[in-house]
Amino acid sequence: MTLTPRTCLIVDDSRIIRKVARRIVEGLGFEVDEAADGSEALAFCGGVIPEVILLDWSMPVMDGMTFLRRLRALPGGLAPKVLFCTIETRAERIAEALSAGADDYVMKPFDGEILTSKFAEVGAV
């Protein structure tokens, strides 16, 4: 019996953040894809919906909030666990992300321990 690999899409305009997150998430046993902005991520999700999406808030082309609202409107778009990954610390902004359909949020900068615990909190690991 072959197990289907678990999948995660990392959406961030910073190549360095994507690289750091990829190393951590792959360590959790996920296959990782990357997108540099919400538009790329939405195109990706039009073909394959990942199990988990690590999503930056502020990006060029399409920001994380716009992507999240469009993702949730796609067929199957309610399925992925979405973790907003942001430097945004204001409670009202976090509440806005959660009400738009995010499952949780991760403050930047993050490390393996923080990311692992957030994945566990949303039931992804």
Side-chain angles (χ1 to χ4, degrees):
M1 183 174 99
T2 336
L3 289 175
T4 308
R6 312 210 49 211
T7 54
C8 179
L9 178 63
I10 298 169
V11 188
D12 200 301
D13 56 326
S14 163
R15 192 179 56 76
I16 291 154
I17 296 282
R18 290 195 314 265
K19 186 177 177 181
V20 168
R22 171 186 279 274
R23 198 166 46 242
I24 295 166
V25 174
E26 284 178 343
L28 295 173
F30 284 80
E31 274 195 5
V32 175
D33 287 289
E34 298 178 16
D37 60 59
S39 177
E40 266 184 39
L42 203 59
F44 178 87
C45 292
V48 178
I49 302 269
E51 284 179 59
V52 181
I53 299 173
L54 200 56
L55 180 62
D56 186 22
W57 190 302
S58 303
M59 297 176 287
V61 187
M62 182 189 294
D63 68 7
M65 192 59 81
T66 304
F67 164 77
L68 179 58
R69 290 191 174 108
R70 291 186 183 171
L71 167 74
R72 293 306 194 203
L74 288 175
L78 295 175
K81 298 292 183 187
V82 176
L83 296 173
F84 249 115
C85 192
T86 180
I87 56 169
E88 187 62 64
T89 56
R90 295 198 324 270
E92 64 271 16
R93 294 291 274 173
I94 292 162
E96 182 186 347
L98 295 174
S99 69
D103 293 283
D104 208 338
Y105 62 92
V106 180
M107 293 298 174
K108 288 181 184 174
F110 54 82
D111 60 20
E113 194 177 314
I114 292 167
L115 213 47
T116 301
S117 75
K118 288 294 186 176
F119 269 60
E121 282 175 33
V122 299
V125 291

